[in-house]
Amino acid sequence: MRRIFTILLITCLFVCAKANAQESKADKILGTFYLESPLSDDNAKVLFKKAKDGTYFARIVWLDKPNNADGSPRTDEKNPNPKLRSRTATEVVLVWGLKYKNDEWVDGSVYDPFSGKNFGVKMKLEKNGSDLNVRYYKGTPALGLTRTWKRQ
């Protein structure tokens, strides 16, 4: 009986340690990244957080051009949902639904505020821990565009 208990305890400790290590690796995406838009001359910073459901999302926290030419704050004017067009840039969730699998964050979506369209997205953090390779795509990742976001 004692032997069975010891084996169960060791197994439990191993499984718990492995789960914690996996979660720790997944959380490496948390923090702020600087990006240049692939569709305009805008630069932005986004902050990655973990959602209650365990997926990851990123909200815009800074724009190099936060105002329109008339000085008014930029809004999400291209959003297909008319109720969201008045929100300011820092209210926009740019990335959502990312899941961590095999050293990548996959199955997410990215919003392009310049067109009002959503695209698929997957990401991989480089070994240096500061470069995040971001693959934007429509349909399949093989037919996408890759950009690098830099950790701040």
Side-chain angles (χ1 to χ4, degrees):
M1 184 70 161
R2 187 176 202 186
R3 187 177 193 152
I4 292 172
F5 178 74
T6 302
I7 291 170
L8 286 174
L9 180 61
I10 290 171
T11 303
C12 180
L13 290 174
F14 176 75
V15 170
C16 290
K18 188 170 181 166
N20 283 341
Q22 184 75 355
E23 184 173 314
S24 176
K25 286 173 80 175
D27 287 349
K28 286 184 178 183
I29 199 171
L30 300 177
T32 305
F33 287 83
Y34 176 83
L35 64 111
E36 296 174 358
S37 171
L39 304 173
S40 75
D41 63 348
D42 276 331
N43 301 314
K45 291 181 184 177
V46 296
L47 175 63
F48 279 92
K49 293 184 174 185
K50 192 171 190 175
K52 290 179 183 177
D53 66 1
T55 62
Y56 296 85
F57 70 96
R59 180 180 299 280
I60 295 173
V61 293
W62 175 86
L63 286 176
D64 67 342
K65 298 174 187 169
N67 297 323
N68 294 313
D70 66 2
S72 63
R74 287 174 59 185
T75 59
D76 192 11
E77 63 189 32
K78 302 275 176 129
N79 197 301
N81 182 344
K83 293 179 182 178
L84 298 178
R85 291 180 187 156
S86 63
R87 66 183 177 171
T88 62
T90 55
E91 295 174 301
V92 173
V93 174
L94 193 69
V95 178
W96 66 94
L98 288 171
K99 299 172 190 156
Y100 187 74
K101 293 179 187 171
N102 301 322
D103 292 329
E104 291 184 311
W105 291 266
V106 297
D107 300 332
S109 297
V110 63
Y111 173 66
D112 171 28
F114 301 102
S115 68
K117 294 180 181 177
N118 296 324
F119 297 92
V121 69
K122 70 182 220 170
M123 303 178 177
K124 183 171 179 104
L125 196 61
E126 289 296 313
K127 291 185 192 291
N128 64 16
S130 64
D131 292 344
L132 184 65
N133 289 324
V134 179
R135 183 86 173 160
Y136 308 85
Y137 59 90
K138 196 71 168 174
T140 178
L143 302 175
L145 170 72
T146 300
R147 291 288 186 255
T148 300
W149 297 2
K150 301 281 185 183
R151 187 179 297 277
Q152 297 295 288

